[in-house]
Amino acid sequence: MQIKEQREKNKAKRLVFSKTTFLFLFSVFYSTIVSAQCAMCRASLESSGDKNKVEAVNDGIVFLMAIPYVLVAVIGFVVYKMYYKKGTPTVSK
């Protein structure tokens, strides 16, 4: 009986984790086109008039912004896997 209760708890935990993971991934990947520039960068790039340079700086800023989120996601996944691998009950027959 105890194993069945533990399975039910694990199933509930996985369901909550999957819902929060889906919500997180949806909010990260569902985005619109963003012009990510500070005021100083925008002023200096607009005065030069080079459209390709402005787009390159925008892409660079977005890339630099995404790296910390990816690192946190990877670390969170590793911690999650270690936690559930350690806490999984073994059933002997």
Side-chain angles (χ1 to χ4, degrees):
M1 192 66 172
Q2 191 177 23
I3 295 173
K4 188 174 182 179
E5 292 172 0
Q6 186 65 31
R7 286 182 186 167
E8 291 294 324
K9 287 181 183 179
N10 287 342
K11 185 176 179 181
K13 286 180 183 178
R14 284 192 306 266
L15 182 62
V16 169
F17 178 76
S18 64
K19 285 182 180 181
T20 55
T21 303
F22 174 76
L23 183 62
F24 173 75
L25 291 176
F26 181 77
S27 64
V28 167
F29 291 115
Y30 181 77
S31 63
T32 57
I33 297 174
V34 180
S35 295
Q37 284 184 350
C38 67
M40 296 290 289
C41 296
R42 173 167 279 184
S44 67
L45 289 172
E46 282 180 352
S47 65
S48 70
D50 188 8
K51 184 81 170 162
N52 290 333
K53 193 182 233 184
V54 173
E55 290 177 5
V57 169
N58 275 341
D59 292 341
I61 291 171
V62 171
F63 177 74
L64 289 173
M65 179 194 71
I67 295 300
Y69 290 106
V70 171
L71 289 175
V72 167
V74 168
I75 291 170
F77 180 74
V78 169
V79 168
Y80 168 77
K81 282 302 220 182
M82 287 179 7
Y83 176 75
Y84 277 103
K85 184 177 180 182
K86 181 179 165 184
T88 305
T90 57
V91 179
S92 61
K93 290 184 178 184

